[in-house]
Amino acid sequence: MLGQPLRALIFLLLVYQNDGYVTYRRAKSQKQNIRSYPDEASKDINICTLEQKNTINLFCYCDEPTFQLATMADCWTFNNGEPREASIWREFKSQTNLTKLTFNVRGSTAQTLSFVPTEALAQLPELRTLEIVYAHIKTVHSHAFANLSRLQDLALGRNQIETLSRESIAHLDDLRVVTLGDNYINFINNDVFAGLPVLRKLYMDRNNISYIAEGAFEQLNKLEELDLSENLLTGSLSRYVFLGLMSLKRLDMRANRLERIGPEAFAELVSLEELVLEDNTIRSIDGKGFSGLPNLVRLTIAANRLKMLDDRTFHHLEKLRFLDMRYNNLQTLTYATVEPVMDRFPNMTVYIHLQAGNVFECDCNLLWMKRVAADTSNEQLSRELMDAKCSINDTDGPAAATGRQTAVSGGGPDKVGSRRDDNKLDGGGSDTDDRKETGGYGSKGGDRKTVDVDGGEEHGGRLPPPLDESQMVSVTDLDENTCPGKEQAVVDGTPDAAQNSDRVLWESKSAAAAPGPSVAFALLLMPLPWATAVLFRRRP
Ligand SMILES: *[C@@H]1O[C@H](CO)[C@@H](O)[C@H](O)[C@H]1NC(C)=O
Ligand SMILES: *[C@@H]1O[C@H](CO)[C@@H](O)[C@H](O)[C@H]1NC(C)=O
Ligand SMILES: *[C@@H]1O[C@H](CO)[C@@H](O)[C@H](O)[C@H]1NC(C)=O
Ligand SMILES: *[C@@H]1O[C@H](CO)[C@@H](O)[C@H](O)[C@H]1NC(C)=O
């Protein structure tokens, strides 16, 4: 920083002693003026030496302050900044070689920088990286970035942006990354993003987005990562919201308010490898909710309000290797549900944290756990299943469910911590980063929100009643001949057939468990309030 005035001084000395250079510069400067802004009066202003202009509420530190030689500038607005019409913005033509430009705001009045300085950007054809932070830009206007054909990285986080106008981020042929996190964007229309042929990453986390128009991302055919986490998306999303995202590999919708996953909700996303839906309020996932995702490797549906999973939920997820279902209200997990991923079990890492008081109902639907515990070559999975407990108080109803619920959320923050530790251990099979999954739940509010008992509103901070250990049974103690609910697992009309066919199915799968991809399968199951569902009804 101290070097800047010094360098400016040296530069001035040089200029003073070198008429030839000055003449050259003037000639060049005039030439530029003729080309763009014929404003003779300002031809000597260099935006890298604005310290000398004490009437201007803007200054820039440059890597090389000489006219046209700076490649990086770090600019600050202060006091009331400069109005949009100010001629100073045009003076960025004194440094047309800039490839990296940052605007910061010093001071906090709302006027300091309340718009994208398009006039300045239009002078900078070489710009590759643009960052504006802590400004008070409410609206990004149309063509705000002046079609900067070399711009690759656009960072607009933390600027209080509420509205993205039509084609506000558009016609930027080389743009690869757009960061819009930490703003107040309310909705995304389908005319905001246009002409962005190589955009790879779009970060819109921590905004107020409650509406996304169908086709909003339709032109982003090369987009690989879309982060919509910590927004206000509610209900269910139309699959047409994701039209055109044929290259998308990672979709993050953590910490929204989604309630349902409809059929084929993500079917546009044929390349998707990771889907993060944790920390929403999802109560139901259609049996075909995840269909059309042949490349999905990681799926996180933790911290929702799922009471049951359709038998078809994991069908056709041929590449699934990591599945996190912790902190739901699951009452059971049937063989039919996990069967599609069974062949990948040998190398899976599975955590079932029933010890925390998280309780399945003891019934025949859980017998597969006993079998897998005995048969699998995966020692860790076997241990987890051996430890699994269920509740024998299987009369459905709010009272019983409440008792179980109590057991479940009794963990509190400490338990979250230990679960994360456990989770780290499972790293073996997981080849993608654990950032999101260990990042905790409900980062917006700190501690993870309490799982509600009655499926209604959240009851923040309510302590669950103590767990009644006397009602808990190890899953491995379930007896196939006497397990409660046996009559519900009916195949071909006879209970025996059901048991047999189930076992046969398992054994054949087990035998056929040829080497496959290693799998991290994090099954951490939360207690179920009064889920009454019997998942396992297979009727031919
Ligand atoms: C931009 O910088 C290069 C050297 O990096 C220089 O040759 C060229 O003259 C500069 N452009 C302008 C317009 O000054
Ligand atoms: C950017 O390109 C669009 C479409 O080609 C055009 O309508 C718009 O005027 C251009 N904006 C600027 C500032 O050049
Ligand atoms: C954004 O959402 C938060 C939380 O829901 C709310 O308090 C705030 O007023 C919203 N801000 C805007 C600008 O919409
Ligand atoms: C499991 O891992 C072992 C050794 O790491 C490997 O040889 C085998 O092919 C894997 N099997 C499956 C089903 O992934």
Side-chain angles (χ1 to χ4, degrees):
M1 296 288 173
L2 280 178
Q4 302 295 338
L6 202 63
R7 259 184 291 187
L9 204 63
I10 292 169
F11 169 66
L12 284 176
L13 274 172
L14 284 173
V15 166
Y16 188 72
Q17 292 174 355
N18 187 343
D19 280 339
Y21 181 79
V22 172
T23 311
Y24 161 75
R25 179 173 54 72
R26 286 232 168 96
K28 201 164 128 187
S29 178
Q30 275 158 7
K31 207 169 117 212
Q32 280 177 352
N33 284 341
I34 289 161
R35 194 190 42 161
S36 51
Y37 297 93
D39 179 0
E40 286 292 321
S42 62
K43 65 176 181 284
D44 287 326
I45 294 180
N46 175 355
I47 54 107
C48 294
T49 57
L50 291 175
E51 299 96 311
Q52 299 147 16
K53 306 264 178 197
N54 54 17
T55 55
I56 296 174
N57 291 322
L58 171 73
F59 64 88
C60 301
Y61 300 112
C62 300
D63 59 337
E64 170 51 72
T66 311
F67 270 91
Q68 301 299 353
L69 291 185
T71 59
M72 289 191 268
D74 193 3
C75 300
W76 294 75
T77 60
F78 52 95
N79 294 334
N80 283 336
E82 291 292 321
R84 194 190 296 241
E85 324 75 63
S87 61
I88 187 62
W89 300 116
R90 267 176 274 153
E91 300 308 332
F92 277 77
K93 68 179 184 291
S94 59
Q95 295 293 356
T96 55
N97 254 358
L98 282 180
T99 59
K100 184 174 193 294
L101 174 61
T102 305
F103 282 103
N104 299 279
V105 171
R106 185 170 285 176
S108 58
T109 68
Q111 302 94 313
T112 307
L113 185 58
S114 60
F115 52 90
V116 176
T118 308
E119 195 85 61
L121 305 178
Q123 318 299 324
L124 306 173
E126 302 296 320
L127 207 58
R128 283 164 177 74
T129 303
L130 173 63
E131 183 178 15
I132 305 178
V133 282
Y134 297 115
H136 301 84
I137 302 169
K138 291 262 186 293
T139 300
V140 180
H141 56 269
S142 294
H143 306 295
F145 304 100
N147 304 351
L148 286 168
S149 61
R150 305 216 171 160
L151 192 66
Q152 297 182 352
D153 193 340
L154 174 60
L156 297 171
R158 286 163 281 177
N159 285 307
Q160 307 187 8
I161 298 167
E162 290 174 20
T163 306
L164 299 175
S165 307
R166 186 182 65 83
E167 301 206 351
S168 49
I169 301 180
H171 309 297
L172 301 162
D173 289 343
D174 210 14
L175 191 62
R176 289 136 202 233
V177 183
V178 173
T179 308
L180 285 161
D182 266 311
N183 281 292
Y184 299 117
I185 298 168
N186 292 303
F187 55 88
I188 309 174
N189 272 337
N190 60 10
D191 56 6
V192 173
F193 304 108
L196 304 171
V198 297
L199 188 66
R200 297 280 197 281
K201 295 169 191 283
L202 175 55
Y203 301 107
M204 303 189 75
D205 49 306
R206 285 167 292 163
N207 274 277
N208 277 20
I209 300 166
S210 60
Y211 168 76
I212 304 177
E214 293 185 349
F217 310 114
E218 195 166 3
Q219 297 190 29
L220 307 182
N221 303 152
K222 291 281 166 38
L223 197 69
E224 292 175 358
E225 181 167 3
L226 176 58
D227 190 345
L228 293 167
S229 63
E230 295 189 52
N231 274 289
L232 304 174
L233 295 168
T234 53
S236 63
L237 289 183
S238 155
R239 69 180 277 182
Y240 302 110
V241 159
F242 302 117
L243 270 181
L245 294 175
M246 59 189 69
S247 304
L248 200 70
K249 293 199 165 83
R250 182 168 194 278
L251 174 60
D252 191 343
M253 297 205 291
R254 183 182 59 79
N256 275 275
R257 298 173 183 181
L258 297 175
E259 286 156 24
R260 290 180 308 282
I261 302 299
E264 303 188 324
F266 306 102
E268 301 295 327
L269 307 174
V270 292
S271 303
L272 200 67
E273 293 175 4
E274 179 170 6
L275 176 57
V276 182
L277 293 170
E278 78 185 38
D279 199 10
N280 276 273
T281 54
I282 299 169
R283 292 159 202 276
S284 70
I285 296 176
D286 187 274
K288 291 183 165 179
F290 300 131
S291 64
L293 294 172
N295 292 301
L296 196 67
V297 175
R298 291 173 69 91
L299 173 61
T300 305
I301 51 177
N304 278 289
R305 297 179 186 176
L306 294 163
K307 294 178 179 177
M308 63 177 93
L309 290 174
D310 189 287
D311 287 353
R312 296 166 299 170
T313 306
F314 305 129
H315 272 203
H316 306 303
L317 296 179
E318 304 296 339
K319 297 198 178 156
L320 195 67
R321 293 162 67 184
F322 178 91
L323 175 58
D324 187 349
M325 299 191 285
R326 291 175 288 177
Y327 312 117
N328 271 289
N329 293 340
L330 290 174
Q331 185 183 20
T332 189
L333 183 65
T334 66
Y335 180 82
T337 302
V338 297
E339 192 270 332
V341 292
M342 271 292 168
D343 59 342
R344 280 160 274 164
F345 258 25
N347 287 356
M348 278 183 179
T349 302
V350 182
Y351 289 99
I352 302 176
H353 279 258
L354 298 184
Q355 302 93 322
N358 186 7
V359 185
F360 288 143
E361 293 199 356
C362 291
D363 63 24
C364 297
N365 290 324
L366 302 182
L367 284 175
W368 68 269
M369 293 185 178
K370 179 178 179 178
R371 289 197 297 275
V372 172
D375 293 359
T376 184
S377 58
N378 180 335
E379 287 181 21
Q380 185 277 331
L381 170 59
S382 175
R383 255 193 327 269
E384 281 291 318
L385 293 171
M386 297 278 188
D387 286 347
K389 295 208 166 96
C390 59
S391 166
I392 51 175
N393 182 3
D394 62 344
T395 52
D396 292 330
T402 302
R404 285 193 293 275
Q405 167 66 26
T406 307
V408 178
S409 28
D414 289 349
K415 288 291 200 269
V416 171
S418 67
R419 278 190 231 106
R420 286 185 197 158
D421 291 346
D422 289 349
N423 207 9
K424 286 241 160 69
L425 294 176
D426 82 346
S430 147
D431 59 351
T432 35
D433 71 300
D434 287 330
R435 178 170 51 100
K436 289 291 174 182
E437 125 214 2
T438 55
Y441 298 95
S443 56
K444 228 167 192 165
D447 287 336
R448 198 180 71 79
K449 67 186 165 222
T450 307
V451 177
D452 63 324
V453 170
D454 61 4
E457 306 311 313
E458 293 172 24
H459 307 285
R462 186 176 69 182
L463 286 177
L467 175 65
D468 182 359
E469 287 286 351
S470 68
Q471 310 241 309
M472 304 296 291
V473 174
S474 170
V475 167
T476 53
D477 289 340
L478 287 183
D479 185 313
E480 345 205 319
N481 297 315
T482 61
C483 56
K486 182 180 181 183
E487 66 283 359
Q488 287 165 343
V490 172
V491 173
D492 293 341
T494 76
D496 281 351
Q499 291 305 316
N500 290 337
S501 93
D502 216 14
R503 189 174 314 123
V504 167
L505 189 52
W506 159 247
E507 283 165 3
S508 67
K509 279 291 174 185
S510 180
S518 76
V519 176
F521 184 77
L523 275 183
L524 298 137
L525 303 159
M526 278 300 266
L528 263 229
W530 34 292
T532 57
V534 174
L535 265 187
F536 192 60
R537 285 202 176 113
R538 290 195 291 168
R539 295 199 179 105

